[in-house]
Amino acid sequence: MMIELTHNPIDVARVLASAESRSAGAVVLFLGTTREESEGRRTASLDYECYPEMAESELSRLEKEARQRWSLIECSVVHRLGHLEIGEVSVAIAVSSAHRQPAFEAGQWIIDRIKHVVPIWKRENWADGESQWVHPGLETPPTTAGE
Amino acid sequence: MMIELTHNPIDVARVLASAESRSAGAVVLFLGTTREESEGRRTASLDYECYPEMAESELSRLEKEARQRWSLIECSVVHRLGHLEIGEVSVAIAVSSAHRQPAFEAGQWIIDRIKHVVPIWKRENWADGESQWVHPGLETPPTTAGE
Amino acid sequence: MRTSVRLFAVARQIAGCDRVELELPEHATIGDLRQQLGRDIPALSGLLGPMLFALDARYVNDASLVPPNAEIACIPPVSGG
Amino acid sequence: MRTSVRLFAVARQIAGCDRVELELPEHATIGDLRQQLGRDIPALSGLLGPMLFALDARYVNDASLVPPNAEIACIPPVSGG
C-alpha cells in the first residue's frame, strides 16, 4: 500500500511494483497523463495544487473504502503536484486482486472518486499564454502567469 | 501498437511505454500474473503453449475490433509462452485514450476476449507434483512431468 | 468570533491571498460563513454556490456549526486526477 | 482424402502426438472430422464435445466443409490470459 502526494515525477515502476503479490492474478494500473489538447484548446503545461492534509486523508479514505467494496490484495495511489509538462503522469493507481474484475472495478472507482472528492486542483497553462484554474461547473477567469 | 507472443519475460515498462502519447489523458495497463494458489490448490509453476499462427492473428483481430468499438490512441497486447514461475506476468495489455472510460472498457474487453477466443492454453504444475492442462468446462487428466 | 478560512485555486486567485479572517457570530453555521465570505470578498460571491467547505479536513454541510479554533477550508470543485 | 489435424494441450497429451492424419470422405464437414477423430483416438472422444476447430487459423463450425490441403486445428477450451 502506498498513498502519496509528490512534487517529483511519479515513479510508475515503483507504484506498479507496490501492487505485485504472489497471490495476485491481476494487476490494473491506471495512469492519468497531461494532454496536449483539452476541449479543442492547446495546453502548454499544467500546475496542480492541493489542500495537503485533506488530500492525503481523502486518498486514504478512498483506499480503505475500496478495500471494503472489493476483495483487493494491494492498492496504491500516488498523485503529482506542482508544475507538469505535457505527457507527464499526474496520477498513478495500482490495484491487485486474485481475479481481474475487482482490480478493474476498484481502479475505475478510485479515479472516479478522486475526480469528485479529493481536494486537488489543476490550472491549465494554455499555449496562447492564458492560465486558468479548472473547476468543473464553474466559469473561471484567466490568471496572469505565475499567480 | 505492439502485438506479441514471447517466450521471454514480458518487458512491462516497454509495453507501457508503447501506449504513451501526448494526446492521451489515460493509460490503463492490465497484467495477468501467475498465482500461487488456484481454487485452494497450490501451484508450483505454469506452462503456456499456443497455436502460434492463430494466436497472433486472433490477438491482432481483438486489437482491431477494440479500435472499432472505442476511440483508442494506442493498444498493445503481449502474451507470454513457455515456463512461468509464480508471480510472473503472463499477459500485459496497455491501452491509451483521451479520456479514461474507453481505456478501462477496452482493457477489460480485451482480456475477457483473450480468455475466450485466443488459442493459448496453460498447464498448472501443482505443488504436489501433478500437472494438468486447464480447459474451462473440461475435466482433464493429470500429465506426467515434462509431457 | 474570529474565524480563519483557507482558500485554494480560483478562490485564492480572486482573493489574492491563501487565507482570510472572518468575523462570525457565536453558533454560526457553515452556511453563515459562506454568506460572510461573499460579503467580505464580493468578487467571490458569484462563485461560492458550488464550493464545499471542510472542517478539520473533513467535508461538512451548510448546517454544521463552526466551532471556535477550527480549521475551515473553502473547497472549489476539484479537478485532480 | 487424407487430412492432417494439429493437436494442442490436453488433446496432444492424450493422443501422444501434436498432429494426427485422418482419412475423410470427399466433401466431409468439420462435424465429420470431429467424429472421425473420436473414432481414431477413442481416448479423445469423451473430450471432443467442447472443442472447436480452426481452418487455416480461423474458427469454423461443424457445417463447414474440409477443403483438401487445409490446415485444420483442434482447439480445446482456451485458458490463456
Side-chain angles (χ1 to χ4, degrees), chain C residues 27-63:
Chain C
H27 310 301
T29 63
I30 292 290
D32 298 330
L33 182 151
R34 186 192 296 270
Q35 292 196 327
Q36 190 60 46
L37 189 58
R39 280 190 293 269
D40 285 9
I41 310 174
L44 261 186
S45 60
L47 297 172
L48 287 174
M51 300 217 180
L52 299 176
F53 288 87
L55 192 162
D56 293 334
R58 299 293 292 246
Y59 286 109
V60 287
N61 61 33
D62 277 17

Side-chain angles (χ1 to χ4, degrees), chain A residues 48-54 57-58 61 79 90-91 111 114-122 133-136 138-143 147, chain C residues 6-14 16 46-48 50-59 71-81:
Chain A
Y48 281 81
E49 76 168 37
C50 78
Y51 174 11
E53 301 85 338
M54 186 172 174
S57 69
E58 288 290 309
R61 279 203 322 119
H79 202 296
S90 54
V91 61
I111 182 62
I114 286 175
K115 287 172 176 277
H116 279 97
V117 303
V118 180
I120 300 175
W121 303 274
K122 71 175 169 195
W133 285 105
V134 178
H135 298 298
L138 270 189
E139 288 268 334
T140 53
T143 78
E147 190 179 4
Chain C
R6 290 178 72 163
L7 302 175
F8 299 98
V10 78
R12 182 168 57 76
Q13 172 199 338
I14 287 171
L47 297 172
L48 287 174
M51 300 217 180
L52 299 176
F53 288 87
L55 192 162
D56 293 334
R58 299 293 292 246
Y59 286 109
E71 160 118 325
I72 306 286
C74 171
I75 313 284
V78 305
S79 53

Side-chain angles (χ1 to χ4, degrees), chain A residues 22-25 98-99, chain B residues 33-44 46 86-87 122 124 126:
Chain A
R22 289 171 67 88
S23 49
H99 300 284
Chain B
T33 57
T34 52
R35 287 198 298 151
E36 193 157 32
E37 229 184 76
S38 192
E39 286 146 42
R41 196 170 175 189
R42 264 177 76 100
T43 300
L46 292 108
I86 299 305
K122 71 175 169 198
E124 298 259 10
W126 303 109

Side-chain angles (χ1 to χ4, degrees), chain A residues 16 25-29 104, chain B residues 1-6 8-19 28-34 48 59 75-81 84 88-95 106-107 110-111 114-115 120, chain D residues 80-81:
Chain A
L16 192 54
V27 181
V28 170
L29 173 74
F104 271 113
Chain B
M1 200 261 279
M2 180 192 296
I3 304 290
E4 276 181 28
L5 295 164
T6 175
N8 299 318
I10 295 177
D11 183 342
V12 172
R14 194 170 138 257
V15 180
L16 192 55
S18 78
V28 170
L29 173 74
F30 173 81
L31 301 179
T33 57
T34 52
Y48 282 81
L59 288 178
C75 179
S76 293
V77 184
V78 179
H79 202 297
R80 177 83 179 275
L81 298 171
L84 276 76
E88 287 200 84
V89 175
S90 53
V91 60
I93 301 170
V95 183
I110 290 168
I111 182 62
I114 284 175
K115 285 170 178 278
I120 301 176

Side-chain angles (χ1 to χ4, degrees), chain A residues 97-112:
Chain A
S97 52
H99 300 284
R100 65 192 185 283
Q101 202 63 17
F104 271 113
E105 289 182 8
Q108 206 158 0
W109 181 86
I110 290 169
I111 182 62
D112 285 349

Side-chain angles (χ1 to χ4, degrees), chain B residues 30 32 48-54 57-58 61 79 90-91 111 114-123 133-144 147, chain D residues 6-16 18-19 46-60 71-81:
Chain B
F30 173 81
Y48 282 81
E49 76 169 36
C50 77
Y51 175 9
E53 302 84 340
M54 186 174 173
S57 69
E58 288 290 308
R61 279 203 322 118
H79 202 297
S90 53
V91 60
I111 182 62
I114 284 175
K115 285 170 178 278
H116 279 98
V117 304
V118 180
I120 301 176
W121 304 274
K122 71 175 169 198
R123 189 177 62 186
W133 285 106
V134 178
H135 298 299
L138 269 189
E139 288 269 335
T140 55
T143 79
T144 53
E147 189 177 4
Chain D
R6 290 178 71 165
L7 302 175
F8 299 98
V10 80
R12 182 168 56 78
Q13 172 198 340
I14 287 171
D18 61 6
R19 192 179 283 275
L47 298 172
L48 288 174
M51 299 217 181
L52 299 177
F53 287 87
L55 192 162
D56 292 336
R58 298 294 292 247
Y59 287 108
V60 287
E71 160 117 327
I72 306 284
C74 171
I75 313 284
V78 304
S79 53

